[in-house]
Amino acid sequence: MKTRYTYGGDEHVYVEMDEEMSLEAFFKSLSMSNAVREADIPGVTEICPANASFQVRYNPDVTPPEQMLSRIKDLEHMADKAEKRMTTRIIEVPVYYQDPWTHETLMRFRERHQDPSGSDLDYAARINGYDSVEAFIEAHHSQPWFVSMVGFVSGLPFLYQLVERDRQIQVPKYLRPRTDTPKQTVGYGGSFSCVYSVRGAGGYQMFGITPMTIYDPRQHVSYLSDFMVFFKPGDIVKWNPIDRAEYDRILAAVEANTWTPRIAEVEFDLDEFNKDMVGYNAKLMEALNDA
């Protein structure tokens, strides 16, 4: 893992931990962006973390570009020594797979898809070697996921599957983006799952939809009254498959402010996770079931 430093125009420094996403790269990026924040470098106005990188915005009239780059580089040793553990939360997110709304949308945009003859789930199951859509759906929801960043669209989480690299689902995005995606669609692109926080354009494969509001700029939803964005980097998500009746029940409860997601506080230790991923995931999900 070799860190790459580049300038982004006149006011940004971009720091990339690795060319591909990994939990090791995520933790190093998190530790280093925290170190930059704590260093309180004159002129820094914003620090924006991503999956395995972060970007610093600064005022070059306060700290010149060469000095800013040097100050940030000097902090890398702190990230290398930082513990790869964090106190976070595991969250159960209900998902109505094979719902009628994303199905209607995907059928409207089949000419933009790699396989116009089937659904997004049909395609994803086939290219990942699963015998059926049902087996693929089980693989998607059976193990937890790690929120590696939030953004691109306000409140949208990117989620990385907590399994061995050779078991990770890989699905390309649409050949051409759609001009429409239902709000709260559970999507997939590359090695990342996501939840579309708002209705709009998108290119990720569509697997289902959640009744759980994850972004509310008005902050009317009870569990978003403190902050309009639900997810945070480091959150762990367990998808919970539901049917149409349960979807309708939860949606009505969310709108009535009588529903909250099931959440448990947990410690995530990367070294312990790497020693026994299956056993560690079982402990995470046990904490959620005890909540």
Side-chain angles (χ1 to χ4, degrees):
M1 195 161 52
K2 182 174 176 58
T3 307
R4 184 164 66 98
Y5 298 84
T6 54
Y7 293 111
D10 297 331
E11 299 181 347
H12 297 86
V13 171
Y14 177 66
V15 184
E16 184 182 49
M17 302 302 138
D18 204 347
E19 291 184 352
E20 61 182 26
M21 169 61 190
S22 68
L23 290 174
E24 287 78 6
F26 166 83
F27 270 95
K28 183 173 180 179
S29 175
L30 179 67
S31 297
M32 196 167 174
S33 59
N34 285 340
V36 173
R37 186 175 293 107
E38 291 166 5
D40 197 22
I41 303 171
V44 170
T45 58
E46 187 177 5
I47 301 169
C48 181
N51 294 310
S53 62
F54 67 95
Q55 185 166 265
V56 177
R57 185 179 184 184
Y58 66 99
N59 184 343
D61 292 330
V62 176
T63 299
E66 297 81 3
Q67 290 184 27
M68 180 59 66
L69 189 66
S70 178
R71 290 287 302 273
I72 294 172
K73 280 186 176 182
D74 288 343
L75 297 170
E76 185 173 354
H77 73 282
M78 298 176 63
D80 289 329
K81 296 177 181 178
E83 287 189 334
K84 297 179 178 63
R85 67 168 61 174
M86 64 190 312
T87 299
T88 186
R89 54 184 184 168
I90 182 168
I91 306 147
E92 184 177 85
V93 177
V95 181
Y96 180 17
Y97 291 95
Q98 298 180 291
D99 67 281
W101 307 284
T102 59
H103 184 76
E104 185 276 333
T105 303
L106 68 87
M107 294 308 293
R108 281 195 281 126
F109 292 96
R110 283 334 274 168
E111 80 282 357
R112 305 185 182 206
H113 196 272
Q114 291 88 346
D115 183 5
S117 64
S119 71
D120 292 6
L121 277 166
D122 292 332
Y123 173 70
R126 176 169 56 79
I127 67 171
N128 281 278
Y130 289 90
D131 294 333
S132 66
V133 166
E134 289 72 24
F136 178 81
I137 290 173
E138 183 176 356
H140 185 263
H141 73 70
S142 61
Q143 296 297 318
W145 295 70
F146 192 92
V147 177
S148 55
M149 68 170 280
V150 178
F152 183 70
V153 174
S154 296
L156 185 150
F158 288 82
L159 301 106
Y160 182 79
Q161 197 174 21
L162 291 176
V163 295
E164 296 86 349
R165 176 80 61 161
D166 60 2
R167 291 180 55 205
Q168 287 178 351
I169 297 167
Q170 299 282 338
V171 187
K173 296 186 288 186
Y174 275 43
L175 296 175
R176 288 187 294 130
R178 300 176 303 275
T179 56
D180 188 25
T181 307
K183 178 183 176 182
Q184 292 161 207
T185 290
V186 176
Y188 210 104
S191 60
F192 288 97
S193 199
C194 79
V195 182
Y196 283 77
S197 52
V198 297
R199 182 178 182 178
Y204 277 25
Q205 309 285 336
M206 295 180 288
F207 293 169
I209 199 164
T210 177
M212 175 181 166
T213 298
I214 65 166
Y215 171 64
D216 178 20
R218 302 172 304 165
Q219 295 179 251
H220 289 175
V221 175
S222 59
Y223 56 86
L224 294 174
S225 60
D226 292 336
F227 191 55
M228 68 181 73
V229 172
F230 179 78
F231 288 108
K232 307 170 186 175
D235 280 344
I236 298 169
V237 167
K238 173 60 175 69
W239 307 117
N240 178 36
I242 58 174
D243 59 16
R244 176 61 186 270
E246 184 68 359
Y247 174 89
D248 289 342
R249 185 193 70 79
I250 295 174
L251 183 61
V254 170
E255 293 173 348
N257 273 335
T258 59
W259 185 86
T260 55
R262 190 152 61 124
I263 300 173
E265 185 177 287
V266 293
E267 294 288 327
F268 186 83
D269 186 309
L270 181 58
D271 292 335
E272 293 300 314
F273 169 75
N274 285 331
K275 289 177 185 176
D276 179 13
M277 294 186 184
V278 174
Y280 200 86
N281 284 347
K283 290 180 181 178
L284 291 173
M285 291 187 284
E286 183 179 333
L288 180 62
N289 292 332
D290 291 341

